[in-house]
DNA sequence: TCAAAATCGTTAGCTATGAAACGATATTAC
DNA sequence: GTAATATCGTTTCATAGCTAACGATTTTGA
């Protein structure tokens, strides 16, 4: 593959997106989530439960874009910490619902403001105009690739 | 925390970046890297070795933004597959150099074009202008946050 | 009606991941 | 010169994360 056939702008976009995502995740886990032993994905799941109160594991896998096996493991960990509990559906016993507990809600009420503060900090070097612009472009990438 | 104090544009940027990064990684691992049992990070490490031929583990940890423990484990896996080998420095025996093998180079010569094709596909809905624009903005985020 | 197919969550077995502790080595301070 | 300190990579131990296989359940089709 000759060098002049490389699409350097595409490489640059992909590389930079991944690096920001990685930095983002590390920063949040280190500065915010570690205080309650949560990983990025655990937090995402708990966030979804906070919003929806109760969600099927299959739906959780779609929302967070990880495999159902991972959902199974992480909700097990969250259940051990008493942040949520699992219960099989009575009508269709193949389905399991995960529900947030009061303790889980308290954690989110404490952590979310800190998390949001981190989000603001990370993009603070961009104007609101640039933020809107990047979001719109990324949404298009998400849509076109069905991410 | 009242809803009207949420910086929704910041939330949107962060959420979309993470989702694209996740989709990106999953797509590449599924469609390209899985044929040789490589993870995204394994591939990144092998890529750096391909470029530099031989790199200290400490440097690898910085380049790929993962912990030195992870580098230790992954290079061990890569060594078992005979894609690289490790050797302690003679002068300073605390340092370990990781070097790519011929087999490792062959794999990269096969995989990189496929990987690059994937990169192009992912951002194909954006104009080159938009790609340059997003890259520039993300580079600023990386710089300001020291990611 | 009831056997085949589809759906769902968990388990098994693997690699990845980080923090902390550790062991070996090198550097610094006095 | 040597004791304290710093550096580096590995190991340990826990969770995360994937695919594939599985077991239980429900739906479908003839």
């Amino acid at each position: 593959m000759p060098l002049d056939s490389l699409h350097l702008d595409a490489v640059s976009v992909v590389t930079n997106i991944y690096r920001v995502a990685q930095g983002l995740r590390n920063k949040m886990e280190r500065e915010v989530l570690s205080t309650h032993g949560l990983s990025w994905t655990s937090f995402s799941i708990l966030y979804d439960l906070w919003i929806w109160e109760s969600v099927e594991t299959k739906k959780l896998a779609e929302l967070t874009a990880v495999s159902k096996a991972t959902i199974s493991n992480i909700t097990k960990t969250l259940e051990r910490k008493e942040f949520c509990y699992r219960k099989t559906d009575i009508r269709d016993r193949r389905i399991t619902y995960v529900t947030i507990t009061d303790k889980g809600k308290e954690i989110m009420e404490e952590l979310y403001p800190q998390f949001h503060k981190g989000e603001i900090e990370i993009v603070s070097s961009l104007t609101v105009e640039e933020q809107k612009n990047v979001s719109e472009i990324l949404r298009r990438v998400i849509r076109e690739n069905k991410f």
Side-chain angles (χ1 to χ4, degrees), chain A residues 4 8 11 38 45 55 64 94 124 137:
Chain A
D4 64 359
L8 292 178
V11 172
L38 290 171
I45 291 173
V55 184
T64 52
R94 292 171 303 182
S124 62
I137 290 178

Side-chain angles (χ1 to χ4, degrees), chain A residues 13-62:
Chain A
V13 172
V14 166
T15 303
N16 289 337
I17 285 178
Y18 198 80
R19 180 158 284 265
V20 171
Q22 180 100 325
L24 180 59
R25 177 175 175 145
N26 288 343
K27 176 194 168 83
M28 293 303 198
E29 290 186 338
R30 195 168 6 94
E31 297 178 6
V32 180
L33 308 179
S34 68
T35 60
H36 289 89
L38 290 171
S39 67
W40 175 280
T41 310
S42 314
F43 180 78
S44 302
I45 291 173
L46 201 54
Y47 176 82
D48 288 329
L49 293 177
W50 191 38
I51 299 296
W52 302 102
E53 180 83 19
S54 188
V55 184
E56 314 152 59
T57 62
K58 183 182 163 61
K59 182 77 180 170
L60 280 179
E62 288 165 13

Side-chain angles (χ1 to χ4, degrees), chain A residues 45-146:
Chain A
I45 291 173
L46 201 54
Y47 176 82
D48 288 329
L49 293 177
W50 191 38
I51 299 296
W52 302 102
E53 180 83 19
S54 188
V55 184
E56 314 152 59
T57 62
K58 183 182 163 61
K59 182 77 180 170
L60 280 179
E62 288 165 13
L63 286 171
T64 52
V66 297
S67 73
K68 53 186 186 165
T70 298
I71 296 293
S72 190
N73 284 325
I74 294 186
T75 53
K76 205 187 297 173
T77 302
L78 287 175
E79 193 172 38
R80 199 177 333 117
K81 292 182 178 172
E82 301 182 330
F83 293 168
C84 71
Y85 63 88
R86 291 180 294 180
K87 197 171 189 326
T88 47
D89 190 305
I90 309 169
R91 309 289 184 90
D92 186 340
R93 297 172 53 77
R94 292 171 303 182
I95 298 174
T96 298
Y97 278 92
V98 187
T99 307
I100 194 168
T101 61
D102 287 341
K103 191 173 170 187
K105 290 177 189 173
E106 284 168 22
I107 295 296
M108 284 306 295
E109 280 157 19
E110 178 191 339
L111 286 187
Y112 187 74
Q114 298 175 36
F115 188 88
H116 184 51
K117 202 174 153 203
E119 290 179 314
I120 294 169
E121 274 173 30
I122 284 164
V123 297
S124 62
S125 60
L126 312 184
T127 67
V128 172
E129 209 49 49
E130 286 171 327
Q131 292 175 19
K132 285 182 196 298
N133 188 238
V134 170
S135 286
E136 188 272 315
I137 290 178
L138 291 176
R139 255 194 300 275
R140 198 178 336 140
V141 172
I142 291 169
R143 177 158 23 90
E144 293 294 319
N145 289 284
K146 306 190 203 311

